[in-house]
Amino acid sequence: MRIRRMERKMTRFLQHLRFRTKLIMIFGLVCVIPLSAEMILSYRISAENTFGITEEYTVTNMNVVCEEIDGIFKRANAVCDELENSVNIQEYLRKDFSDTAERYSYDLKVSMELLNQYSSSQDIFGVYVLGKNGAQYKSNYNSFRIVNFAEQDWYETLSQTGKSVWFLPHKGSYVVKSEMKNFVSLGKMLMDKASGNMSGVAIVEIDENMITSLLDRYEGSRNGFFVVDEKGNVIFKSSFYDDGIQADFQTIAAKETDHAQNQYYRLCGKQYLVSGRELSNGLWSIYSLISVDQINATASGTLLVNCMILLCSVVLMLFLIFWASAGITRPIARLSAGMQEIRSGNLNVSVKPEETKDEIGLLIDDFNRMSATMNEMNEKIYEKQRSLQKAEMKALQAQINPHFLYNSLDSVTWLLRLNKKEEAITMVGALSKLFKAVLSKGKEYIPIADEICHVENYLLIQKIRYRNKFRYEMHVEDSVMQYRTVKLILQPLVENAIYHGIRGEVESEEIIVSVHERGAQIVFQVADTGKGMEEAQLKTLRENVKMLRETTDSYGLKNIYERIQIYYAGRADMTIDSEPDRGTIISICIPKENVGI
């Protein structure tokens, strides 16, 4: 029963998946499962081989390091032997320098010989010969330390031992002034070949950095080195090892006797493969350490490479699957999107046709023809409605203009009868400019400057007609002059303010016309200080304008609102605000459009 329930759930899940998702899931599983099995098998094989390869690599790398360090030691031994067997050195160390000037002269001469002979050796910092007769020779330009060398511990060790002695790393040179470096020194007592007595000592100093840099040079991400003395104390180490692992290693090195065997030890909580070898001086040993975690990381790196190859294969196969499924489902998705657009009200939709002429291609062609037919019919209906509205508005303008012309000419006649010629001339001039702006060569859009000129002339005419019963002000920002507007939107607002707002007191009322920018819009505003409206009356007026109802009070405002809605496709608006005995403010907001559009 449980299996059946799971099958039903899986069936319902698959039923709700998109067709393309189902295709991708099926083909993806077919590709991924066998490739994953191959990846796991590859990892197991690579992990088994990595340990054997790493052990061989460790031994080889340690042998290379050991040979280079032994080479440095052998060169130091060779220098000591050369000094011991040098006839000139033997002769210089036999001299009895009773004259200080003569001794300094020989010191300079022999030091220059040593400098010329050994300064080219990068491994050796300095070669020194200190004679019992007071001679002091050196192969570099550093100044001798001002001490009695015969009283130094190292000098006494060489005198008592009578053979070559390696000295552990020490701070500063035994012989010259060099406090900032650490050195490993090889010393040897020099015997007079003629008498068999000790004639002096030879010291060869090697900069400790020469050996540590050598260890770091061959230090890879998988291994590092320790050099220890006969007691297991660490002399040199790779720079990345910290004090904790050094302390653990010294405990192991003190007990380790068989250098030939590779052993696994735990140091600071981690497992290491340790391999050792004795250096040529017979005193010190070198150990190579490699972290087992790093060995595993190498195997993981091999796994990563295989994974990347397999991943690229999977990605390529998935790409092919996506490409193939897209070829099947893409036309269906485009057709579905087109239907969604039509359902949302957008009839101007066209789906990209398919090159193939299968069933889906034919369906898309039929959909495009249907959409084009619907869009064409909708455009015809819209154009008819718009033409009808324009005809109605032009008829309204034709009714308004003769009425205004009659009243204006009648006022001119009375001014002439009253012998007010100047006012009559002014009024006729304003009337001429006003009708020139009204005609505007049949254009529906005019510059804002022309609209301002038109309303100024209209106000001038009306002020003369009403015998200065109101005052007016114009506030226009210069920046708005570069934009255009639908013509005759201010004059009806001013006319409305005069007819409905002015109460009749002489010069007690004021009309303020302003035009300014507000963000991406131009705001036209006409305000009067007239009688205003009660809240109920204002609410009714707003509803009549917004609902495009034709009433006596709202006819002009409704006409303007309708026009800006048509011409600006809903991007313009009109607001009406009023208070009793304080006046009315009507604002029109239109989008910014340059004159050249």
Side-chain angles (χ1 to χ4, degrees):
M1 294 297 293
R2 182 178 299 177
I3 296 176
R4 290 182 180 179
R5 284 197 298 269
M6 292 180 62
E7 289 178 352
R8 286 196 295 269
K9 289 181 180 180
M10 182 61 69
T11 301
R12 285 195 297 270
F13 172 74
L14 293 174
Q15 287 174 346
H16 288 85
L17 291 178
R18 293 180 176 272
F19 179 59
R20 186 184 183 189
T21 305
K22 294 177 184 178
L23 289 177
I24 293 172
M25 286 179 60
I26 294 171
F27 287 113
L29 289 174
V30 171
C31 295
V32 170
I33 291 175
L35 289 176
S36 300
E38 181 182 351
M39 180 180 64
I40 295 171
L41 180 61
S42 174
Y43 172 71
R44 294 188 62 181
I45 295 174
S46 63
E48 292 174 358
N49 293 334
T50 299
F51 276 86
I53 295 173
T54 302
E55 290 187 6
E56 294 179 5
Y57 167 81
T58 301
V59 173
T60 302
N61 202 31
M62 185 181 64
N63 289 338
V64 173
V65 177
C66 193
E67 288 176 3
E68 293 213 21
I69 295 176
D70 284 342
I72 296 174
F73 291 168
K74 288 176 181 178
R75 280 190 288 276
N77 274 303
V79 170
C80 288
D81 292 341
E82 288 174 3
L83 295 174
E84 184 180 25
N85 297 321
S86 171
V87 175
N88 291 335
I89 296 295
Q90 289 280 326
E91 180 183 350
Y92 299 148
L93 294 181
R94 292 193 195 103
K95 285 185 175 293
D96 182 12
F97 294 110
S98 57
D99 184 5
T100 303
E102 181 185 11
R103 183 171 64 83
Y104 282 139
S105 175
Y106 269 92
D107 286 351
L108 179 60
K109 173 185 175 183
V110 179
S111 293
M112 291 303 298
E113 292 177 1
L114 295 180
L115 177 65
N116 292 331
Q117 186 173 357
Y118 299 113
S119 62
S120 61
S121 177
Q122 297 180 352
D123 300 336
I124 297 174
F125 173 78
V127 176
Y128 314 103
V129 176
L130 305 175
K132 293 186 67 175
N133 61 350
Q136 295 180 351
Y137 311 135
K138 56 187 175 66
S139 67
N140 54 39
Y141 293 103
N142 295 55
S143 301
F144 281 105
R145 295 176 61 195
I146 305 175
V147 296
N148 186 352
F149 293 115
E151 296 178 356
Q152 302 298 308
D153 293 339
W154 57 267
Y155 192 97
E156 184 177 353
T157 300
L158 291 177
S159 299
Q160 294 176 356
T161 305
K163 59 181 180 179
S164 299
V165 177
W166 279 98
F167 295 97
L168 295 175
H170 51 86
K171 186 171 182 62
S173 171
Y174 282 156
V175 182
V176 296
K177 296 178 180 179
S178 179
E179 301 296 334
M180 302 304 294
K181 292 184 178 183
N182 292 345
F183 297 95
V184 178
S185 300
L186 173 64
K188 188 172 185 178
M189 185 177 67
L190 300 179
M191 301 295 294
D192 189 331
K193 300 291 186 179
S195 65
N197 297 324
M198 175 181 175
S199 60
V201 296
I203 295 289
V204 177
E205 289 186 327
I206 300 167
D207 190 341
E208 181 185 42
N209 290 330
M210 289 299 300
I211 297 178
T212 55
S213 63
L214 178 62
L215 298 181
D216 287 342
R217 189 192 316 159
Y218 288 96
E219 166 227 318
S221 60
R222 298 187 299 170
N223 70 315
F225 300 95
F226 282 107
V227 176
V228 299
D229 61 13
E230 63 274 12
K231 296 180 180 179
N233 297 316
V234 173
I235 306 173
F236 308 106
K237 66 175 182 176
S238 296
S239 59
F240 69 90
Y241 284 133
D242 57 22
D243 294 338
I245 195 170
Q246 176 178 333
D248 286 357
F249 177 75
Q250 285 189 160
T251 303
I252 296 172
K255 303 175 183 179
E256 180 66 36
T257 57
D258 188 359
H259 297 153
Q261 296 295 324
N262 294 329
Q263 301 290 336
Y264 287 91
Y265 295 100
R266 181 167 291 276
L267 304 174
C268 287
K270 292 185 178 180
Q271 194 79 5
Y272 286 85
L273 173 63
V274 179
S275 179
R277 177 176 168 179
E278 192 175 82
L279 293 173
S280 61
N281 64 3
L283 301 174
W284 302 340
S285 301
I286 183 170
Y287 290 89
S288 173
L289 277 68
I290 180 167
S291 172
V292 174
D293 291 341
Q294 295 293 343
I295 300 175
N296 293 330
T298 303
S300 299
T302 305
L303 174 64
L304 180 61
V305 173
N306 291 335
C307 287
M308 292 300 296
I309 296 174
L310 296 175
L311 180 61
C312 292
S313 301
V314 171
V315 169
L316 178 60
M317 292 181 182
L318 290 178
F319 171 76
L320 295 175
I321 293 170
F322 271 85
W323 177 78
S325 63
I328 299 173
T329 59
R330 190 188 302 114
I332 300 175
R334 290 204 303 268
L335 188 60
S336 176
M339 295 298 293
Q340 293 291 337
E341 288 288 328
I342 290 179
R343 188 165 63 181
S344 63
N346 180 17
L347 300 180
N348 188 19
V349 178
S350 177
V351 178
K352 181 181 177 181
E354 288 292 306
E355 296 181 359
T356 59
K357 294 302 178 182
D358 54 13
E359 290 80 1
I360 297 177
L362 294 175
L363 185 60
I364 291 176
D365 291 341
D366 292 338
F367 173 83
N368 288 336
R369 282 193 290 270
M370 178 194 70
S371 176
T373 302
M374 293 175 62
N375 189 56
E376 184 179 354
M377 293 175 62
N378 187 62
E379 287 291 334
K380 288 181 180 179
I381 294 172
Y382 176 76
E383 287 298 328
K384 287 183 179 179
Q385 290 178 345
R386 184 168 180 176
S387 298
L388 178 61
Q389 289 172 344
K390 287 184 178 181
E392 290 175 351
M393 285 186 287
K394 289 181 179 179
L396 176 63
Q397 293 173 5
Q399 292 174 359
I400 293 176
N401 292 341
H403 179 70
F404 174 74
L405 180 60
Y406 170 79
N407 290 333
S408 300
L409 292 176
D410 185 62
S411 298
V412 171
T413 301
W414 280 104
L415 289 172
L416 291 174
R417 287 176 179 177
L418 296 173
N419 201 27
K420 295 182 179 181
K421 294 182 181 180
E422 293 299 326
E423 291 186 12
I425 292 172
T426 300
M427 190 169 182
V428 170
L431 189 63
S432 173
K433 294 178 182 178
L434 184 143
F435 277 99
K436 181 179 180 181
V438 171
L439 294 174
S440 62
K441 299 181 181 180
K443 297 178 181 178
E444 292 295 338
Y445 294 93
I446 60 173
I448 290 180
D450 292 351
E451 181 70 8
I452 300 301
C453 178
H454 172 266
V455 77
E456 283 183 328
N457 287 299
Y458 179 81
L459 281 166
L460 179 61
I461 293 170
Q462 294 291 48
K463 187 175 181 180
I464 296 173
R465 282 187 59 209
Y466 284 90
R467 300 180 183 180
N468 297 321
K469 288 186 178 181
F470 67 90
R471 292 175 290 110
Y472 70 87
E473 295 181 7
M474 302 289 295
H475 302 287
V476 182
E477 293 180 354
D478 293 336
S479 59
V480 304
M481 296 303 183
Q482 60 180 310
Y483 302 109
R484 70 175 189 174
T485 179
V486 175
K487 67 180 180 180
L488 301 180
I489 61 172
L490 278 176
Q491 179 261 328
L493 301 183
V494 173
E495 183 178 1
N496 188 76
I498 294 173
Y499 290 160
H500 300 288
I502 303 303
R503 290 174 289 192
E505 290 83 352
V506 176
E507 295 186 356
S508 63
E509 310 295 349
E510 187 176 26
I511 297 175
I512 302 172
V513 178
S514 64
V515 185
H516 60 274
E517 293 185 65
R518 183 193 294 164
Q521 291 186 318
I522 304 295
V523 179
F524 297 87
Q525 194 172 81
V526 176
D528 65 68
T529 59
K531 58 186 178 181
M533 289 178 280
E534 297 290 341
E535 183 66 29
Q537 184 182 2
L538 177 61
K539 181 179 179 181
T540 302
L541 179 62
R542 287 172 174 170
E543 290 178 352
N544 290 338
V545 171
K546 297 293 182 178
M547 299 301 293
L548 302 180
R549 296 172 184 159
E550 295 187 3
T551 64
T552 302
D553 294 336
S554 65
Y555 193 83
L557 299 180
K558 169 257 181 186
N559 180 263
I560 297 174
Y561 182 76
E562 187 174 15
R563 290 176 64 211
I564 63 176
Q565 290 299 311
I566 292 174
Y567 285 106
Y568 292 108
R571 294 179 295 138
D573 196 14
M574 174 191 289
T575 59
I576 306 172
D577 299 288
S578 183
E579 292 185 22
D581 299 322
R582 298 193 64 177
T584 302
I585 300 175
I586 302 177
S587 302
I588 296 176
C589 297
I590 65 171
K592 290 180 180 178
E593 292 182 349
N594 291 323
V595 173
I597 297 179

